[in-house]
Amino acid sequence: MPGWSCLVTGAGGFLGQRIIHMLAQEKELQEIRALFRSFTPKHREELSKLQTKAKVTVLKGDILDAQCLRRACQGVSVVIHTAASLDILGAIPRQTVLDINLKGTQLLLDACVEASVPVFIYSSSVSVAGPNSYKEVIQNGCEEDHHESRWSNPYPYSKKMAEKAVLAANGSSLKDGGTLRTCALRIPLIYGEGSQHVSYAVNRALKNNGILDSLGKFSVISPVFVTNSAWAHILAAKGLQDPKKSPNIQGQFYYISDETPHQSSVDLYYALSKDWGLRLDSSWSLPLPMLYWLAFLLETVSFLLRPIYSYRPPFNRFLVTVTNSVFTFSYKKAQRDLGYEPLVSWEEARQKTSQWIGSLVEQHKGKLNTKTQ
C-alpha cells in the first residue's frame, strides 16, 4: 500500500468531492486523479486549495469514453467509482441512465483490466435491495438477508446490474498477470453540506411559507452523513490493498450507515432545518394505497400518450414506495471487515448541515429583498 494512487470518478459530485478531500489526508497517497464530466471553475478552485502531499490531477472526461477511461486508469492502484445518473422521476431518458450506470461501469472495469488496476470500489445504492412494496418492513437488514430490488425503473435496475458486474469481476486476471479485487458499498440517503436532496427540500419549503413537503412522512430510513460515507470508501480502498484484510472483503457488498437516528426523510429534513424556522406539514394527505394507485394511473396515462406526447408524471409507484417504506440497514459487516466506525456523530452532523442550511435561508431572503426593491 505505501505509495498508492487513486482515481475517483464522479469527482465533482456530492460524495466524490468528499472522498477526494478525505484522500488528501492520507499520508501514503502519491496521486489523486479526479475524473468528472463537467468541472466548474468552483470545482477546480476547491481542488487547487487541497492541502495534501499527493499530486492532484484533474481529468475532464465522460464515463462512456473508453479511451479516456484507459488513460485515466494508467498507473493507478485504486479506482473508486461514484459516477452515476440518479434519476427517480424519469426526467432523463431510460437508455441514458442505463448507459451511464451500467455500460459506464463495465467500460471502467475493462479499463482497469487493461491498465492492470488491482483494486475497484463501487459506490452502490440501497435501492438495489428494494423496497419492493411499501407494505414490506425491513429493519436493521443485513447482507446475509439477500434482499433484491424487482423494479424495472432505470435507476434501481441499472445500479443493481452494475453492482453484480463489479462483484462478478472480482478475481479477473489483469493484463500484467495480477488479479482484480472488487467490493461494493450500498449507500442510503446521504445528507450533509452541499446535499442536493436537502437543498431541494429546503428550497421547496422556503417557497411554501417554510412548510416541508409531506411526501415520505410514512418512511423509516437509515440515512448517512456524507463524511461517514466517504470514510467507508477510504477504508474499503485500504482494506482491499491489505493482504490480511483483503480476502474477507473481495467480492463482497456492504451496507453503510451511521448513528443518524432511523427516521423518515421528512423528519430528517425537519431535524436539520428546524433551527431556521422550517416546519412539518400538518395538513391532510391521501392514504398510501390511494397514492400508490394514483401513481399507477398516471404511469398508465404516460404510457398511452407516449406515441403522440411525452408526459412525465409528478410521481410514480417507485417513488411512492421508496418514500413510504420501513427500510433500514445495519453497518455491522462493514464494521467487522472494513473496521468502519462513523467519524462524525449525529449531533455534529446535524449542526454542520444546519449551519449550511442557514446559508440557503439567507440566500433566499436576499433574493426576496432584491425582488422587493
Side-chain angles (χ1 to χ4, degrees):
M1 195 165 73
W4 62 294
S5 54
C6 185
L7 167 68
V8 180
T9 71
F14 179 46
L15 177 59
Q17 286 184 65
R18 197 59 62 101
I19 288 172
I20 284 174
H21 278 269
M22 299 202 75
L23 282 169
Q25 299 168 33
E26 292 297 314
K27 294 176 182 177
E28 301 292 337
L29 198 65
Q30 287 189 332
E31 184 182 6
I32 302 168
R33 290 187 194 171
L35 177 67
F36 195 51
R37 187 175 59 181
S38 52
F39 277 111
T40 64
K42 186 181 177 184
H43 286 135
R44 292 181 184 277
E45 185 185 344
E46 286 181 2
L47 287 170
S48 68
K49 288 179 182 176
L50 282 178
Q51 294 182 336
T52 178
K53 293 178 181 177
K55 176 186 176 185
V56 180
T57 306
V58 178
L59 303 170
K60 185 178 178 181
D62 197 298
I63 198 68
L64 295 173
D65 185 339
Q67 285 188 328
C68 166
L69 296 182
R70 281 197 291 273
R71 288 195 300 270
C73 287
Q74 283 300 329
V76 299
S77 41
V78 175
V79 165
I80 298 178
H81 179 35
T82 75
S85 173
L86 174 55
D87 179 54
I88 305 297
L89 285 173
I92 302 171
R94 178 183 179 85
Q95 195 55 51
T96 303
V97 178
L98 295 178
D99 283 347
I100 293 170
N101 293 352
L102 182 52
K103 186 181 176 182
T105 301
Q106 190 59 63
L107 287 173
L108 189 58
L109 285 167
D110 294 342
C112 286
V113 170
E114 282 292 311
S116 298
V117 180
V119 172
F120 189 105
I121 292 107
Y122 180 57
S123 193
S124 187
S125 164
V126 293
S127 68
V128 308
N132 293 309
S133 166
Y134 62 82
K135 297 175 184 176
E136 181 182 21
V137 175
I138 297 171
Q139 290 180 299
N140 287 315
C142 63
E143 291 77 0
E144 291 72 27
D145 294 336
H146 301 294
H147 296 294
E148 184 171 316
S149 170
R150 296 191 297 270
W151 292 98
S152 61
N153 295 57
Y155 180 70
Y157 175 77
S158 61
K159 293 294 283 187
K160 179 178 76 171
M161 298 310 293
E163 184 192 279
K164 285 179 183 289
V166 169
L167 301 184
N170 183 67
S172 298
S173 297
L174 303 175
K175 202 165 186 180
D176 69 356
T179 303
L180 181 63
R181 305 185 291 277
T182 71
C183 75
L185 306 182
R186 292 184 177 178
I187 311 298
L189 173 70
I190 313 178
Y191 69 95
E193 319 96 291
S195 163
Q196 286 185 319
H197 293 295
V198 177
S199 176
Y200 179 77
V202 168
N203 284 321
R204 277 183 65 87
L206 290 172
K207 291 173 184 176
N208 188 32
N209 297 317
I211 299 172
L212 292 156
D213 278 352
S214 60
L215 184 65
K217 68 181 180 182
F218 297 113
S219 65
V220 182
I221 57 173
S222 44
V224 65
F225 185 58
V226 62
T227 300
N228 294 329
S229 177
W231 178 233
H233 287 76
I234 309 297
L235 290 173
K238 289 180 172 181
L240 282 175
Q241 294 179 85
D242 186 325
K244 291 182 180 178
K245 290 185 176 180
S246 184
N248 294 325
I249 304 170
Q250 294 176 34
Q252 299 294 308
F253 68 86
Y254 297 91
Y255 290 112
I256 304 299
S257 57
D258 57 20
E259 300 309 315
T260 304
H262 294 181
Q263 59 195 306
S264 73
S265 54
V266 176
D267 286 336
L268 172 67
Y269 299 148
Y270 173 66
L272 298 173
S273 64
K274 63 183 179 182
D275 293 348
W276 305 99
L278 272 65
R279 55 198 190 278
L280 296 169
D281 187 355
S282 58
S283 62
W284 180 85
S285 57
L286 279 174
L288 254 179
M290 196 177 293
L291 192 65
Y292 183 86
W293 288 111
L294 177 58
F296 174 68
L297 178 63
L298 293 173
E299 287 179 56
T300 303
V301 170
S302 175
F303 176 76
L304 293 173
L305 288 175
R306 195 170 298 165
I308 55 171
Y309 179 72
S310 179
Y311 166 65
R312 191 174 83 236
F315 57 93
N316 54 36
R317 285 172 295 164
F318 176 63
L319 180 65
V320 170
T321 301
V322 166
T323 55
N324 291 285
S325 297
V326 177
F327 199 62
T328 66
F329 292 92
S330 163
Y331 63 82
K332 295 299 182 192
K333 185 181 175 184
Q335 195 175 38
R336 184 190 72 211
D337 292 358
L338 306 178
Y340 168 73
E341 295 287 349
L343 290 181
V344 183
S345 69
W346 156 239
E347 189 50 40
E348 185 183 349
R350 194 195 73 78
Q351 287 177 356
K352 284 175 179 286
T353 312
S354 178
Q355 286 173 2
W356 168 70
I357 287 172
S359 68
L360 297 181
V361 174
E362 290 304 315
Q363 283 175 25
H364 180 75
K365 287 180 180 176
K367 289 177 182 177
L368 288 180
N369 289 336
T370 302
K371 286 180 180 179
T372 55
Q373 286 173 1

